[in-house]
Amino acid sequence: MRRADVSDHSAIVDRVQRWWGDSRTPAEARELSLLLPKLFLQFFSGTSLVLEDETGIRAFLVGFHAPDNDTEAYIHFVGVDPELRGQGTARRLYTAFFQRAAEAGRTEVRAITSPANTGSIAFHRAMGFTLEAGDRMIDGLPVHGDYDGPGQHRVCFFRKLTP
């Protein structure tokens, strides 16, 4: 595992389009990859992580420390090669991010996902995240309506870091 670099951007975008291609149309997978503009690796490579082997990037976590306060960190996007899913790879990335955030004095980590992403919700709960109260309930989940624009509801997660 290593710190991400701006030069990883095209490979990460490629991985998003390939790894999510089994659950989305090519157009949808491309649209998902647009959540990772190069600026994330230009300005937050020091807080983002890449796991690679001789075949290239196998997993990544794009996250950052909040620039507006000194307590929060945020996990923006995580991807794991389908061949490695269920083997603790995402857990390793999150654990490393938590450790680095704590070392930088951060005491809280936040993340979001779609209410339909049941796998992400289960994973975040298993990683010790709490679901934040929202302004509505969808399928028994607290949801923040229109969080990312009209009709773009999100489940928001919060986790305290232990020193």
Side-chain angles (χ1 to χ4, degrees), residues 1-3 46 48-49 65 95-104:
M1 187 176 314
R2 65 171 172 80
R3 150 189 170 155
S48 297
L49 303 165
H65 301 161
T95 300
F97 183 83
F98 294 159
Q99 179 180 351
R100 292 172 184 208
E103 288 169 357

Side-chain angles (χ1 to χ4, degrees), residues 33-55:
S33 74
L34 295 176
L35 293 174
L36 288 168
K38 187 179 259 187
L39 71 89
F40 278 103
L41 296 180
Q42 286 175 307
F43 297 101
F44 304 114
S45 62
T47 53
S48 297
L49 303 165
V50 168
L51 181 68
E52 64 187 344
D53 63 16
E54 63 281 349
T55 67

Side-chain angles (χ1 to χ4, degrees), residues 66-81:
D68 292 339
N69 67 65
D70 59 1
T71 60
E72 294 178 319
Y74 179 77
I75 296 174
H76 175 67
F77 203 112
V78 179
V80 176
D81 184 326

Side-chain angles (χ1 to χ4, degrees), residues 149-161:
Q152 300 299 310
H153 312 315
R154 297 292 178 260
V155 175
C156 298
F157 301 102
F158 170 82
R159 184 184 194 272
K160 284 279 198 189
L161 295 177

Side-chain angles (χ1 to χ4, degrees), residues 134-145:
D135 59 6
R136 64 189 73 186
M137 297 293 282
I138 296 177
D139 296 329
L141 297 169
V143 173
H144 295 253

